[in-house]
């Protein structure tokens, strides 16, 4: 039995079942036993991999798209370059390398990272000297244009799940049965904040909400509307929520989300409609499929240029990485790219809808 399961079982015995959001927060961020707080989960030897870990091309093109948005808005100096959830720092390191020859960009940028995990902060510090770290996004200084990237950050935010029952909702919760964690449902209650969803759901449908998303995205959108800037947000999901997307991954395999608390990555799909609403008064472009975004930015030409210097196994791996990032049956369709930008400036290239 894991120490975290013990803690959760005791808490549930004392105060009753907890929401999926509380369960996710404990599993991912518990100070001693949390999944992110205790380890580096990324890469081939870890539990899952991400686009920047698959190929340098992802970060290069993200960097150039953001630099173009910076040029489009008059190349303001200084400005804040920010990333929440930078993982190993790979995406930002690739972005910085690709933008080294954009005149003035490096001199003007002030790098701010938001990271909850001490072990990942250490990994980021090795690759991104000179950055400033924060626990929360709203701690980043708020007096300069904000250019921000986030890849697979929003899918780690805690979600709540509700099942429609007549005009009310039953919340899916985590309870206990002897020494096991089990899913349960509350009694149905009408919920004012879910009233709009009575129009597009039927009895028995499940919907998901992300309680932290509106404030986080509102913070980003508010700053971009006031100070200028742009945000590129990449994650899996779509427009609206459809059913149960709560999942656990360990060792590159899907596992039962309740079986190993703190030992598996827990995620849910991102609702890009909710994200666009929360970005107001800034504008939101997209979401466009990741494969379409990367093709628009010229990933195939970049892939060919890199391929000309490779052979054998390295070439095979490079070709596979290009396919993995862009092909609709791989990450190309499931992952989406949305951009937050001022209403008075064009969206970053590749995100136009
Ligand atoms: N963007 C990276 C890593 C994605 S994994 C990549 O693409 O490879 C999710 C990242 O978000 C990790 O760095 C994790 O520690 C961080 N994270 C998750 N929840 C967080 C929170 N509430 N606050 C700050 N960082 C968080």
């Amino acid at each position: 039995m894991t120490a975290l399961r013990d803690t959760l079982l005791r808490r549930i015995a004392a105060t009753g079942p907890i929401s999926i959001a509380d369960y996710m927060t404990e599993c991912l961020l518990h100070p001693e036993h949390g999944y992110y707080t205790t380890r580096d989960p990324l890469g081939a030897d870890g539990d899952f991999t991400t686009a920047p870990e698959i190929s340098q091309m992802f970060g290069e093109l993200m960097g150039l798209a953001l630099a173009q948005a910076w040029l489009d808005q008059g190349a303001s100096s200084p400005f804040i370059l920010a990333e929440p959830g930078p993982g190993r720092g790979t995406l930002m390191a690739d972005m910085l390398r690709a933008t080294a020859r954009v005149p003035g960009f490096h001199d003007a940028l002030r790098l701010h990272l938001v990271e909850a995990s001490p072990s990942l902060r250490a990994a980021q510090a090795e690759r991104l000297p000179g950055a400033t770290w924060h626990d929360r996004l709203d701690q980043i200084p708020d007096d300069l244009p904000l250019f921000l990237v986030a890849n697979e950050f929003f899918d780690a935010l805690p979600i709540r799940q509700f099942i429609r029952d007549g005009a009310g909702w039953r919340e899916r919760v985590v309870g206990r049965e002897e020494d096991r964690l089990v899913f349960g449902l509350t009694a149905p209650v009408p919920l004012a904040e879910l009233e709009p969803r009575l129009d597009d759901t039927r009895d028995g449908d499940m919907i998901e909400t992300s309680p932290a998303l509106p404030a986080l995205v509102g913070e980003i959108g508010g700053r971009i509307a006031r100070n200028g800037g742009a945000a590129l947000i990449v994650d899996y999901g779509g427009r609206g929520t459809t059913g149960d997307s709560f999942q656990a991954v360990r060792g590159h395999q899907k596992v039962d989300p309740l079986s190993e608390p703190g030992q598996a990555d827990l995620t849910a799909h991102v609702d890009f409609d909710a994200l666009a609403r929360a970005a107001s008064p800034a504008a939101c472009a997209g979401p466009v499929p990741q494969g379409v975004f990367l093709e628009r930015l010229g990933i195939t030409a970049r892939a060919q240029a890199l391929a000309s210097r490779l052979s054998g196994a390295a070439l095979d791996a490079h070709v596979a990485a290009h396919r993995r990032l862009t092909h609709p049956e791989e990450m190309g369709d499931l992952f989406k790219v949305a951009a937050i930008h001022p209403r008075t400036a064009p969206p970053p290239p590749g995100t136009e809808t």
Side-chain angles (χ1 to χ4, degrees):
M1 174 180 298
T2 65
L4 187 55
R5 180 189 292 139
D6 251 355
T7 309
L8 290 166
L9 287 170
R10 267 186 273 117
R11 171 172 167 189
I12 292 166
T15 58
I18 59 175
S19 68
I20 306 283
D22 283 349
Y23 179 74
M24 280 181 87
T25 303
E26 292 290 336
C27 289
L28 295 178
L29 299 176
H30 186 282
E32 279 164 73
H33 309 299
Y35 180 73
Y36 282 120
T37 28
T38 53
R39 77 195 73 210
D40 172 359
L42 289 152
D45 305 332
D47 289 309
F48 62 96
T49 193
T50 57
E53 301 296 334
I54 291 169
S55 167
Q56 69 186 68
M57 296 185 291
F58 182 79
E60 290 170 351
L61 295 171
M62 293 280 283
L64 293 173
L66 214 58
Q68 184 61 53
W70 175 75
L71 290 169
D72 287 343
Q73 292 182 41
S76 32
S77 175
F79 74 94
I80 288 169
L81 181 60
E83 184 180 5
R88 289 178 172 167
T90 309
L91 170 59
M92 188 53 76
D94 290 338
M95 288 177 56
L96 291 175
R97 197 184 56 255
T99 53
R101 279 184 290 177
V102 177
F105 192 74
H106 279 213
D107 284 343
L109 73 85
R110 308 286 179 265
L111 185 56
H112 288 265
L113 306 174
V114 180
E115 177 57 66
S117 158
S119 53
L120 287 175
R121 273 192 192 199
Q124 293 154 18
E126 279 183 27
R127 307 184 79 169
L128 304 167
T132 306
W133 279 264
H134 305 276
D135 293 327
R136 296 195 324 268
L137 200 109
D138 59 10
Q139 294 165 334
I140 295 174
D142 184 16
D143 50 356
L144 297 173
L146 173 67
F147 289 84
L148 178 145
V149 286
N151 185 60
E152 291 208 44
F153 172 73
F154 285 92
D155 65 25
L157 294 181
I159 56 147
R160 293 174 72 181
Q161 295 184 317
F162 299 92
I163 293 178
R164 168 102 182 250
D165 185 332
W169 302 89
R170 292 174 180 269
E171 180 159 10
R172 195 170 184 223
V173 290
V174 178
R176 69 176 288 175
E177 227 171 65
E178 293 169 10
D179 64 351
R180 283 190 316 131
L181 294 165
V182 293
F183 286 117
L185 289 173
T186 64
V189 283
L191 291 169
E193 75 264 28
L194 293 183
E195 204 154 314
R197 301 304 309 266
L198 293 175
D199 296 337
D200 68 348
T201 52
R202 287 185 296 184
D203 242 18
D205 284 353
M206 179 182 278
I207 62 160
E208 297 176 339
T209 65
S210 175
L213 181 138
L216 261 173
V217 175
E219 185 74 33
I220 297 170
R223 288 172 181 223
I224 287 173
R226 272 195 312 278
N227 302 334
L232 279 173
I233 293 169
V234 187
D235 230 308
Y236 48 123
R239 314 191 63 162
T241 72
T242 42
D244 176 13
S245 76
F246 182 44
Q247 68 166 32
V249 168
R250 184 175 191 187
H252 300 268
Q253 302 290 324
K254 280 193 190 182
V255 296
D256 173 356
L258 300 188
S259 66
E260 302 166 296
Q263 307 288 314
D265 188 37
L266 299 178
T267 61
H269 283 197
V270 173
D271 175 357
F272 281 92
D273 279 343
L275 192 139
R277 282 194 300 275
S280 174
C284 190
V288 295
Q290 174 174 299
V292 172
F293 171 75
L294 294 173
E295 291 297 351
R296 285 176 174 174
L297 295 177
I299 193 171
T300 299
R302 179 68 182 136
Q304 282 161 352
L306 288 170
S308 67
R309 286 180 251 148
L310 299 171
S311 60
L315 179 59
D316 292 345
H318 172 64
V319 171
H322 173 250
R323 182 187 151 89
R324 194 147 173 219
L325 290 180
T326 57
H327 198 280
E329 281 164 18
E330 307 248 4
M331 297 172 80
D333 234 8
L334 178 60
F335 282 76
K336 309 284 192 300
V337 185
I340 300 172
H341 61 100
R343 290 190 187 278
T344 50
T351 62
E352 306 88 351
T353 19

